[in-house]
Amino acid sequence: MSNTKISFVRTNMLPQKSPPSSQVGAVRWLRENLFSSPLNAMLTLLGVLIVYFLIVHLGPWFKNSIWNANSLSQCREILAGESGACWAVIKDRWHQLLFGFYPQEAYWRPVLTFVLMIVAVAPILFAVVPRKVLWFSAVFPFLAFWLLWGGSIWYSVAALLGFVVGFGAFVLLQRISALVAVIGAVLAPIFWWLFLAGPVDTLLTAIVPIRIPAIQSHDFGGFMISIIIGVTGIVLSLPMGILLALGRQSDMPLVKWICVGFIEFIRGVPLITLLFTASLLLNYFLPPGTNFDIVLRVIIMVTLFAAAYMAEVVRGGFAALPRGQYEAADALGLDYWKSQRLILLPQALKISIPGIVNTFIGLFKDTTLVVFIGILDPIGLSNAIRADSNWNGIVWELYGFIALCFFIFCFGMSRYSQYLEGKLKTDHR
Amino acid sequence: MAMTSDSSGSSFRLSMLIYDTRYRSITIQIVFLFLFMAGFAWLVDNTLSNLAQKGKDIDFGFLGSRAGYDINQMLVDYSNDSSHARAWIVGLLNTLVLALAACVTATVIGVIAGVLRLSNNWIVSKIMTIYVEMFRNVPVLLWIIVIFAVLTEITPAPNAFRGENATSSMLFFDSVAITNRGTYLPGPLFSRSLGDIHLGIVQVSTNYLVLLAIIAGSIWGYRALQHNAAAVQEATGIRPVTWWKSALIIVAPTLVALIVMGFHLEYPELKGFNFSGGSYLRNSFIAMWLALSVYTGAFIAENVRAGILAISKGQSEAAFALGLRPGKTMNLVILPQALRVIIPPLISQYLNITKNTSLAIAVGYMDLRATLGGITLNQTGRELECMLLLMLTYLIISLIISGAMNVYNNSVKLKER
């Protein structure tokens, strides 16, 4: 090819051409994401139609929202026949939806409890919070009980001291033997609560009376009661669920079958039957004359219910662990509790985080069922608000507000679980 | 104890019950059993003394006595003269019908939403994401009440259909009327009916039994035909044309049976203040059905999405490399594997639907809880017996569902060797 004459060689580069218009920017995005095939184009049109339909029908309703009115009829007067939301009901009754019939002058107590609750759960949820706050988390349940129900502070303190007594007995008896220490740590607090807590409470109340007005459970309501039942159930059901899962995995047939029976029974019946049991039957099962607070009964039932589901979730986590982990723990010479605590549980719990949080969300949503046994949760209060002649006939605004609140809580929880999953992920993929 | 003082190495000492792993588990179990029995005895003792204090006993005889209340939806004969046991069965059937209907629609909605959420169509996947998150994060009870409110507040009253300038009209060629009292649909009737068979407590229409048998036979015939065609294809390499034969086998026998039995539809008509004729679905039923379907559908959508995502990309690439078309890739490669992941959570969703039917209390649907656990309980005052039977019934339904689905799950499970 050496004798071929090259007549022309380009000496300068051509300027770069812009890519075809179908391959850039919005057009490309539209082609790829909305109109990649005839079927896709149809689906897109359908989707646009749905969105358009929703906007046309709900847009004016939101646009004409009314925030200042005293009654539904006044709202309708202002709207003059047009469709519009009457959010004035929320403005008028938000305190009922949040606190139920809790006395107005005591609203600071649930609010303070809520703020303290955030402080108390912060070290559990986020690693950046100093560990020392955990001491506050341990004290918080007793403080919250005192703040919400009122009465003498020494009642809560006496209950709290039971745990201190148990811990003290454990430390003291540990020198004798581990088994004796465990038995002592169980028996000492029971002894304390049965025989000493009452006199100590009376004595301290007589010497240093610190008390705030007591408020009865039937005044509780709204999202306050949902959060009380939900958070208590969540906190108690996790350890109980773990114990049940361990029991179900156990080599001891008796323990195993009792746990299996309990889990399958609870999972086989609807929560509502358990709640009815709590309200109708629990008094049959307790010694004659005992009268249990209804909120406490509901918390017990909701906890048992969630614990059975939790046990299955945690069991799934255990089942997903490779056998080698169990064998490695045995090979290290760890005993049962140490191998569970140090090796197996952390991994199993990490695997089952999505399931655990789903159970938490389910539990929180299920707190709405307490309306059927006469506790005024938000749904029960929406009926109570409608019973007022001012707001008779208002529906969507109340339900919308309640749904929004639940959505914020539950969606927040599911987002947190995704954050936690990402943080605890150890495989580098 | 003489043995404790004996210190020779091989003999038994009392402390070995705790420190020797051979005996420790027995000790723990005995202690556990003792505590369990003690707790149980305590509960039973309390219950008995409480019952004695109120002058009650445990007696299931009330089941045989006259119920004395009406039930507004019944699948078997029932009147207020029937017994409480009969009311229990009516309620149970209402629960089961609702659960079955909701399971079917929830599965359809869930599969569609789950697949569409994975679609690469931006707007569709966003709409599905909003649907799933909206329904998953709000209590089902609220959805039941909201849908019931939509049905009763927004739909027209029956008298809106009346007159020359009616404000509402019936849908689908004057066959379906949606009113605030419920939905009226055309009802199936057989002019040459074969009568009913009484099966102990329930009676079943022979017409439907015959139809079911014929459809089952058609399906069997269709499968035999396909099997035969496959055999011919294996032997000769040419697949015989079967589409018209299969169409005939599936459609013709059912059609003939319908004509023979004189099948026709009865349309609802506005008479007086309300519609009559045809089939009538109560708002309470529709609200429960829709709410459970869309709520559980959102959960099933997530399960389906997770199942499809769990199949590695290599599987579909390998299927394409083998030359399978997309449809066959889905049917033969992806779906069978995804089903293994999807079915166990699907079972628990079906169980959830069945248990959530008990929320019918919110809209007054007469289910198991409303009859046995509601009116019967209040009339007879036998809380203990009624709640026991109620829980037992739900427990048995749950166990049957999970048992049946586990059998199916085992049949599709990966056979590991």
Side-chain angles (χ1 to χ4, degrees), chain A residues 306-349:
Chain A
Y309 284 80
M310 196 67 73
E312 285 300 276
V313 170
V314 176
R315 187 174 72 113
F318 274 117
L321 287 186
R323 251 197 98 65
Q325 296 292 329
Y326 291 83
E327 285 159 2
D330 284 347
L332 282 175
L334 298 176
D335 67 11
Y336 177 79
W337 291 107
K338 272 195 177 146
S339 67
Q340 293 293 351
R341 188 165 57 86
L342 299 173
I343 302 206
L344 301 170
L345 252 182
Q347 299 185 65
L349 285 183

Short mmCIF file of all heavy atoms in Angstrom, two decimals, chain A residues 306-349:
data_model
loop_
_atom_site.label_atom_id
_atom_site.label_comp_id
_atom_site.label_asym_id
_atom_site.label_seq_id
_atom_site.Cartn_x
_atom_site.Cartn_y
_atom_site.Cartn_z
N ALA A 306 -48.01 -10.22 70.52
CA ALA A 306 -46.84 -9.84 69.72
C ALA A 306 -45.67 -10.77 70.00
O ALA A 306 -44.88 -11.06 69.09
CB ALA A 306 -46.46 -8.40 70.02
N ALA A 307 -45.57 -11.27 71.26
CA ALA A 307 -44.43 -12.13 71.59
C ALA A 307 -44.47 -13.42 70.78
O ALA A 307 -43.42 -13.91 70.35
CB ALA A 307 -44.44 -12.44 73.08
N ALA A 308 -45.68 -13.97 70.55
CA ALA A 308 -45.76 -15.21 69.78
C ALA A 308 -45.28 -14.98 68.35
O ALA A 308 -44.56 -15.81 67.79
CB ALA A 308 -47.20 -15.72 69.78
N TYR A 309 -45.68 -13.84 67.77
CA TYR A 309 -45.22 -13.54 66.41
C TYR A 309 -43.72 -13.29 66.39
O TYR A 309 -43.00 -13.71 65.50
CB TYR A 309 -45.97 -12.33 65.85
CG TYR A 309 -47.37 -12.68 65.42
CD1 TYR A 309 -48.40 -12.77 66.34
CD2 TYR A 309 -47.65 -12.96 64.10
CE1 TYR A 309 -49.67 -13.12 65.95
CE2 TYR A 309 -48.92 -13.30 63.70
CZ TYR A 309 -49.93 -13.38 64.62
OH TYR A 309 -51.18 -13.74 64.24
N MET A 310 -43.25 -12.56 67.44
CA MET A 310 -41.83 -12.25 67.55
C MET A 310 -41.02 -13.54 67.62
O MET A 310 -39.96 -13.66 67.01
CB MET A 310 -41.62 -11.41 68.80
CG MET A 310 -40.31 -10.70 68.86
SD MET A 310 -40.23 -9.47 67.60
CE MET A 310 -41.33 -8.26 68.26
N ALA A 311 -41.56 -14.51 68.38
CA ALA A 311 -40.83 -15.77 68.54
C ALA A 311 -40.62 -16.44 67.18
O ALA A 311 -39.53 -16.95 66.90
CB ALA A 311 -41.62 -16.71 69.46
N GLU A 312 -41.63 -16.39 66.33
CA GLU A 312 -41.49 -17.03 65.02
C GLU A 312 -40.48 -16.27 64.17
O GLU A 312 -39.71 -16.88 63.43
CB GLU A 312 -42.85 -17.08 64.32
CG GLU A 312 -43.76 -18.13 64.89
CD GLU A 312 -43.18 -19.52 64.77
OE1 GLU A 312 -43.30 -20.16 63.73
OE2 GLU A 312 -42.58 -19.96 65.77
N VAL A 313 -40.48 -14.94 64.27
CA VAL A 313 -39.53 -14.14 63.49
C VAL A 313 -38.10 -14.47 63.93
O VAL A 313 -37.21 -14.71 63.11
CB VAL A 313 -39.83 -12.64 63.66
CG1 VAL A 313 -38.73 -11.81 63.06
CG2 VAL A 313 -41.16 -12.29 63.03
N VAL A 314 -37.89 -14.50 65.26
CA VAL A 314 -36.54 -14.76 65.77
C VAL A 314 -36.12 -16.19 65.43
O VAL A 314 -34.96 -16.45 65.10
CB VAL A 314 -36.50 -14.51 67.29
CG1 VAL A 314 -35.15 -14.88 67.86
CG2 VAL A 314 -36.79 -13.06 67.59
N ARG A 315 -37.08 -17.11 65.49
CA ARG A 315 -36.76 -18.49 65.13
C ARG A 315 -36.28 -18.55 63.68
O ARG A 315 -35.36 -19.30 63.34
CB ARG A 315 -37.99 -19.38 65.30
CG ARG A 315 -37.71 -20.83 65.11
CD ARG A 315 -38.92 -21.65 65.44
NE ARG A 315 -39.96 -21.51 64.44
CZ ARG A 315 -40.35 -22.49 63.64
NH1 ARG A 315 -39.80 -23.67 63.74
NH2 ARG A 315 -41.30 -22.30 62.75
N GLY A 316 -36.94 -17.75 62.80
CA GLY A 316 -36.48 -17.68 61.42
C GLY A 316 -35.03 -17.23 61.33
O GLY A 316 -34.25 -17.76 60.56
N GLY A 317 -34.67 -16.24 62.18
CA GLY A 317 -33.29 -15.77 62.21
C GLY A 317 -32.33 -16.87 62.64
O GLY A 317 -31.27 -17.06 62.03
N PHE A 318 -32.73 -17.63 63.67
CA PHE A 318 -31.87 -18.74 64.13
C PHE A 318 -31.70 -19.77 63.02
O PHE A 318 -30.62 -20.31 62.80
CB PHE A 318 -32.49 -19.41 65.35
CG PHE A 318 -32.14 -18.75 66.63
CD1 PHE A 318 -33.11 -18.17 67.43
CD2 PHE A 318 -30.82 -18.69 67.05
CE1 PHE A 318 -32.79 -17.56 68.61
CE2 PHE A 318 -30.48 -18.08 68.23
CZ PHE A 318 -31.47 -17.51 69.02
N ALA A 319 -32.83 -20.06 62.31
CA ALA A 319 -32.78 -21.10 61.28
C ALA A 319 -31.86 -20.68 60.15
O ALA A 319 -31.28 -21.54 59.46
CB ALA A 319 -34.19 -21.37 60.77
N ALA A 320 -31.70 -19.36 59.94
CA ALA A 320 -30.88 -18.91 58.83
C ALA A 320 -29.39 -18.94 59.16
O ALA A 320 -28.56 -18.78 58.28
CB ALA A 320 -31.30 -17.48 58.44
N LEU A 321 -29.05 -19.15 60.45
CA LEU A 321 -27.62 -19.19 60.81
C LEU A 321 -27.00 -20.49 60.32
O LEU A 321 -27.61 -21.55 60.44
CB LEU A 321 -27.46 -19.11 62.33
CG LEU A 321 -27.72 -17.77 62.98
CD1 LEU A 321 -27.37 -17.87 64.45
CD2 LEU A 321 -26.89 -16.71 62.33
N PRO A 322 -25.77 -20.41 59.80
CA PRO A 322 -25.10 -21.65 59.41
C PRO A 322 -24.81 -22.51 60.65
O PRO A 322 -24.56 -21.99 61.74
CB PRO A 322 -23.79 -21.16 58.79
CG PRO A 322 -23.88 -19.71 58.68
CD PRO A 322 -24.98 -19.23 59.54
N ARG A 323 -24.85 -23.84 60.44
CA ARG A 323 -24.61 -24.75 61.56
C ARG A 323 -23.26 -24.53 62.21
O ARG A 323 -23.08 -24.73 63.41
CB ARG A 323 -24.68 -26.20 61.04
CG ARG A 323 -25.89 -26.94 61.51
CD ARG A 323 -25.71 -28.44 61.33
NE ARG A 323 -25.29 -29.09 62.56
CZ ARG A 323 -26.04 -29.15 63.66
NH1 ARG A 323 -27.23 -28.58 63.68
NH2 ARG A 323 -25.61 -29.76 64.75
N GLY A 324 -22.31 -24.11 61.38
CA GLY A 324 -20.97 -23.90 61.88
C GLY A 324 -20.91 -22.93 63.05
O GLY A 324 -20.04 -23.05 63.94
N GLN A 325 -21.82 -21.98 63.08
CA GLN A 325 -21.82 -21.00 64.17
C GLN A 325 -22.12 -21.69 65.50
O GLN A 325 -21.49 -21.40 66.51
CB GLN A 325 -22.85 -19.91 63.89
CG GLN A 325 -22.55 -19.07 62.67
CD GLN A 325 -21.32 -18.21 62.86
OE1 GLN A 325 -21.01 -17.78 63.97
NE2 GLN A 325 -20.59 -18.00 61.79
N TYR A 326 -23.09 -22.60 65.48
CA TYR A 326 -23.42 -23.33 66.71
C TYR A 326 -22.22 -24.17 67.14
O TYR A 326 -21.85 -24.21 68.30
CB TYR A 326 -24.61 -24.26 66.47
CG TYR A 326 -25.92 -23.57 66.25
CD1 TYR A 326 -26.27 -23.09 65.00
CD2 TYR A 326 -26.82 -23.39 67.30
CE1 TYR A 326 -27.46 -22.45 64.79
CE2 TYR A 326 -28.02 -22.75 67.10
CZ TYR A 326 -28.34 -22.28 65.84
OH TYR A 326 -29.53 -21.64 65.65
N GLU A 327 -21.62 -24.85 66.14
CA GLU A 327 -20.52 -25.74 66.46
C GLU A 327 -19.32 -24.95 66.97
O GLU A 327 -18.65 -25.36 67.91
CB GLU A 327 -20.15 -26.57 65.23
CG GLU A 327 -21.18 -27.66 64.97
CD GLU A 327 -21.16 -28.16 63.54
OE1 GLU A 327 -20.33 -27.69 62.75
OE2 GLU A 327 -22.00 -29.03 63.23
N ALA A 328 -19.08 -23.78 66.35
CA ALA A 328 -17.94 -22.96 66.77
C ALA A 328 -18.13 -22.49 68.21
O ALA A 328 -17.19 -22.50 69.01
CB ALA A 328 -17.78 -21.76 65.84
N ALA A 329 -19.39 -22.10 68.54
CA ALA A 329 -19.66 -21.66 69.91
C ALA A 329 -19.40 -22.79 70.88
O ALA A 329 -18.80 -22.60 71.94
CB ALA A 329 -21.10 -21.18 70.01
N ASP A 330 -19.82 -24.02 70.51
CA ASP A 330 -19.57 -25.17 71.39
C ASP A 330 -18.08 -25.43 71.51
O ASP A 330 -17.56 -25.74 72.58
CB ASP A 330 -20.26 -26.42 70.83
CG ASP A 330 -21.76 -26.36 71.09
OD1 ASP A 330 -22.17 -25.52 71.90
OD2 ASP A 330 -22.50 -27.15 70.48
N ALA A 331 -17.37 -25.31 70.36
CA ALA A 331 -15.95 -25.61 70.35
C ALA A 331 -15.17 -24.65 71.24
O ALA A 331 -14.14 -25.00 71.81
CB ALA A 331 -15.42 -25.55 68.92
N LEU A 332 -15.67 -23.42 71.36
CA LEU A 332 -15.00 -22.44 72.23
C LEU A 332 -15.22 -22.77 73.69
O LEU A 332 -14.65 -22.12 74.57
CB LEU A 332 -15.51 -21.04 71.94
CG LEU A 332 -14.97 -20.37 70.69
CD1 LEU A 332 -15.65 -19.04 70.48
CD2 LEU A 332 -13.48 -20.18 70.80
N GLY A 333 -16.10 -23.73 73.96
CA GLY A 333 -16.35 -24.11 75.35
C GLY A 333 -17.32 -23.19 76.06
O GLY A 333 -17.39 -23.18 77.28
N LEU A 334 -18.10 -22.42 75.30
CA LEU A 334 -19.06 -21.53 75.94
C LEU A 334 -20.26 -22.34 76.41
O LEU A 334 -20.65 -23.31 75.76
CB LEU A 334 -19.53 -20.47 74.94
CG LEU A 334 -18.44 -19.53 74.43
CD1 LEU A 334 -19.00 -18.60 73.38
CD2 LEU A 334 -17.85 -18.74 75.58
N ASP A 335 -20.84 -21.94 77.54
CA ASP A 335 -22.04 -22.64 77.96
C ASP A 335 -23.24 -22.10 77.18
O ASP A 335 -23.11 -21.19 76.37
CB ASP A 335 -22.24 -22.53 79.48
CG ASP A 335 -22.54 -21.11 79.92
OD1 ASP A 335 -22.79 -20.27 79.04
OD2 ASP A 335 -22.52 -20.85 81.14
N TYR A 336 -24.44 -22.69 77.46
CA TYR A 336 -25.60 -22.38 76.63
C TYR A 336 -25.89 -20.89 76.56
O TYR A 336 -25.98 -20.30 75.49
CB TYR A 336 -26.82 -23.13 77.18
CG TYR A 336 -28.10 -22.83 76.45
CD1 TYR A 336 -28.36 -23.44 75.23
CD2 TYR A 336 -29.04 -21.95 76.97
CE1 TYR A 336 -29.52 -23.18 74.54
CE2 TYR A 336 -30.21 -21.68 76.28
CZ TYR A 336 -30.45 -22.29 75.07
OH TYR A 336 -31.59 -22.01 74.41
N TRP A 337 -26.00 -20.23 77.75
CA TRP A 337 -26.39 -18.82 77.75
C TRP A 337 -25.33 -17.94 77.13
O TRP A 337 -25.63 -16.98 76.44
CB TRP A 337 -26.72 -18.36 79.17
CG TRP A 337 -27.97 -19.00 79.65
CD1 TRP A 337 -28.08 -19.98 80.57
CD2 TRP A 337 -29.30 -18.73 79.18
NE1 TRP A 337 -29.39 -20.34 80.73
CE2 TRP A 337 -30.17 -19.59 79.89
CE3 TRP A 337 -29.84 -17.87 78.24
CZ2 TRP A 337 -31.54 -19.61 79.68
CZ3 TRP A 337 -31.20 -17.88 78.04
CH2 TRP A 337 -32.05 -18.73 78.75
N LYS A 338 -24.03 -18.29 77.39
CA LYS A 338 -22.96 -17.46 76.83
C LYS A 338 -22.93 -17.58 75.31
O LYS A 338 -22.76 -16.60 74.61
CB LYS A 338 -21.62 -17.86 77.42
CG LYS A 338 -21.33 -17.11 78.69
CD LYS A 338 -19.89 -17.24 79.06
CE LYS A 338 -19.62 -16.41 80.31
NZ LYS A 338 -18.61 -17.04 81.16
N SER A 339 -23.11 -18.81 74.80
CA SER A 339 -23.05 -18.96 73.35
C SER A 339 -24.25 -18.26 72.71
O SER A 339 -24.12 -17.66 71.65
CB SER A 339 -22.98 -20.43 72.95
OG SER A 339 -24.18 -21.08 73.27
N GLN A 340 -25.40 -18.32 73.38
CA GLN A 340 -26.55 -17.61 72.82
C GLN A 340 -26.31 -16.11 72.83
O GLN A 340 -26.54 -15.42 71.84
CB GLN A 340 -27.82 -17.90 73.65
CG GLN A 340 -28.31 -19.31 73.58
CD GLN A 340 -28.82 -19.69 72.21
OE1 GLN A 340 -28.95 -18.85 71.33
NE2 GLN A 340 -29.07 -20.97 72.01
N ARG A 341 -25.82 -15.60 73.97
CA ARG A 341 -25.72 -14.16 74.16
C ARG A 341 -24.61 -13.56 73.30
O ARG A 341 -24.77 -12.48 72.74
CB ARG A 341 -25.47 -13.87 75.64
CG ARG A 341 -25.51 -12.42 76.04
CD ARG A 341 -25.63 -12.31 77.55
NE ARG A 341 -24.53 -13.00 78.23
CZ ARG A 341 -23.34 -12.43 78.48
NH1 ARG A 341 -23.13 -11.20 78.12
NH2 ARG A 341 -22.41 -13.10 79.11
N LEU A 342 -23.49 -14.28 73.19
CA LEU A 342 -22.33 -13.68 72.54
C LEU A 342 -22.25 -14.01 71.06
O LEU A 342 -21.68 -13.25 70.28
CB LEU A 342 -21.05 -14.14 73.23
CG LEU A 342 -20.94 -13.76 74.70
CD1 LEU A 342 -19.74 -14.40 75.33
CD2 LEU A 342 -20.84 -12.25 74.82
N ILE A 343 -22.76 -15.16 70.66
CA ILE A 343 -22.53 -15.59 69.28
C ILE A 343 -23.81 -15.70 68.47
O ILE A 343 -23.93 -15.12 67.39
CB ILE A 343 -21.79 -16.94 69.26
CG1 ILE A 343 -20.48 -16.76 70.01
CG2 ILE A 343 -21.58 -17.43 67.84
CD1 ILE A 343 -19.39 -17.65 69.65
N LEU A 344 -24.80 -16.43 68.99
CA LEU A 344 -25.94 -16.77 68.14
C LEU A 344 -26.97 -15.65 68.08
O LEU A 344 -27.38 -15.25 67.00
CB LEU A 344 -26.57 -18.07 68.63
CG LEU A 344 -25.56 -19.22 68.61
CD1 LEU A 344 -26.11 -20.43 69.31
CD2 LEU A 344 -25.18 -19.55 67.19
N LEU A 345 -27.38 -15.14 69.25
CA LEU A 345 -28.46 -14.14 69.25
C LEU A 345 -28.12 -12.89 68.44
O LEU A 345 -28.95 -12.43 67.66
CB LEU A 345 -28.80 -13.75 70.68
CG LEU A 345 -30.13 -14.27 71.21
CD1 LEU A 345 -30.38 -13.77 72.61
CD2 LEU A 345 -31.27 -13.87 70.29
N PRO A 346 -26.91 -12.30 68.61
CA PRO A 346 -26.63 -11.09 67.83
C PRO A 346 -26.81 -11.30 66.34
O PRO A 346 -27.37 -10.46 65.64
CB PRO A 346 -25.18 -10.78 68.18
CG PRO A 346 -24.94 -11.43 69.48
CD PRO A 346 -25.81 -12.65 69.51
N GLN A 347 -26.35 -12.47 65.86
CA GLN A 347 -26.49 -12.71 64.42
C GLN A 347 -27.93 -12.97 64.03
O GLN A 347 -28.42 -12.46 63.02
CB GLN A 347 -25.65 -13.92 64.03
CG GLN A 347 -24.18 -13.74 64.30
CD GLN A 347 -23.39 -14.92 63.79
OE1 GLN A 347 -23.34 -15.14 62.59
NE2 GLN A 347 -22.81 -15.68 64.68
N ALA A 348 -28.62 -13.79 64.87
CA ALA A 348 -30.01 -14.11 64.54
C ALA A 348 -30.87 -12.86 64.55
O ALA A 348 -31.71 -12.66 63.67
CB ALA A 348 -30.55 -15.14 65.52
N LEU A 349 -30.63 -11.99 65.54
CA LEU A 349 -31.44 -10.77 65.62
C LEU A 349 -31.16 -9.86 64.44
O LEU A 349 -32.06 -9.24 63.89
CB LEU A 349 -31.15 -10.03 66.93
CG LEU A 349 -31.76 -10.67 68.17
CD1 LEU A 349 -31.46 -9.82 69.39
CD2 LEU A 349 -33.26 -10.82 68.02
#
